Amino acid sequence: MTDAILVLNGGSSSLKFAVFEGRDDLPLVLRGSVSSLGQHPRLRVVPAGGAPEIDRSLSDGPIDIDKAFAAVAALLADRDLLRSIGKVGHRIVHGGRDFTEAAQLDRSALEALSRLEPLAPIHQKINLEIVALAASRCRRPSRPDASTRRFMRCGRGWPRSMAFHEG
């Protein structure tokens, strides 16, 4: 499988994720969550196609969103999915008036979304942390020009933001 799509949805106490095949019908490969980040975090995964579910403890104490994302990335790597991710979709809690539909996340978009942090101080910050964490797992274009240098590239696709609130 190539050009899979990873969708991430971070909250104050969880990180939900799903992987879809990058075809028109977007078949689900797996979905899951890291829940109870501030207490006793658990990784739960439901693969498509009848494969066994995963439900295991990640720690006896709290973990942060970085460690939750690392657990997801490790799971994807163990299943040989991480390198097939071609696009990353992010749920961003607040897009203000400027982001009411999917948008490419270039530097200026990320700066604009960061300025909206007072509207959703906990979730917006976490959502943008997850964007940065996902981008850190992605490679930059080998020969960036002036336009592509401003974007974070993941495989052959651009990370996207999914609008949640309007206005």
Side-chain angles (χ1 to χ4, degrees):
M1 174 177 46
T2 59
D3 290 340
I5 301 166
L6 171 63
V7 179
L8 298 167
N9 176 359
S12 58
S13 64
S14 69
L15 173 60
K16 297 175 186 161
F17 60 94
V19 177
F20 298 89
E21 286 186 41
R23 301 189 330 225
D24 288 342
D25 55 346
L26 295 173
L28 179 69
V29 176
L30 62 80
R31 64 180 167 81
S33 66
V34 179
S35 61
S36 302
L37 297 182
Q39 298 172 2
H40 302 286
R42 297 196 69 77
L43 173 66
R44 291 184 177 93
V45 181
V46 180
E53 293 185 15
I54 296 170
D55 184 358
R56 70 173 185 247
S57 174
L58 291 177
S59 173
D60 289 334
I63 63 172
D64 59 17
I65 201 70
D66 294 16
K67 288 186 178 147
F69 181 79
V72 171
L75 169 88
L76 297 177
D78 289 347
R79 292 177 173 243
D80 204 28
L81 291 170
L82 191 60
R83 66 183 176 166
S84 69
I85 302 297
K87 297 178 183 172
V88 180
H90 297 276
R91 178 201 170 250
I92 306 292
V93 71
H94 214 303
R97 293 183 180 140
D98 296 329
F99 298 97
T100 59
E101 58 187 42
Q104 292 183 349
L105 295 179
D106 62 13
R107 219 175 248 131
S108 106
L110 291 170
E111 288 168 1
L113 290 167
S114 180
R115 287 191 297 271
L116 297 172
E117 197 172 309
L119 300 175
I122 296 170
H123 291 89
Q124 193 81 346
K125 180 179 179 185
I126 289 170
N127 296 157
L128 296 176
E129 279 182 54
I130 293 168
V131 170
L133 289 166
S136 73
R137 294 282 182 162
C138 300
R139 60 181 168 77
R140 298 247 181 230
S142 57
R143 299 179 118 182
D145 61 24
S147 62
T148 59
R149 207 175 293 127
R150 297 181 58 199
F151 291 91
M152 297 172 289
R153 185 166 185 183
C154 188
R156 287 184 274 168
W158 301 105
R160 301 242 179 210
S161 167
M162 295 174 204
F164 184 68
H165 294 288
E166 286 191 31

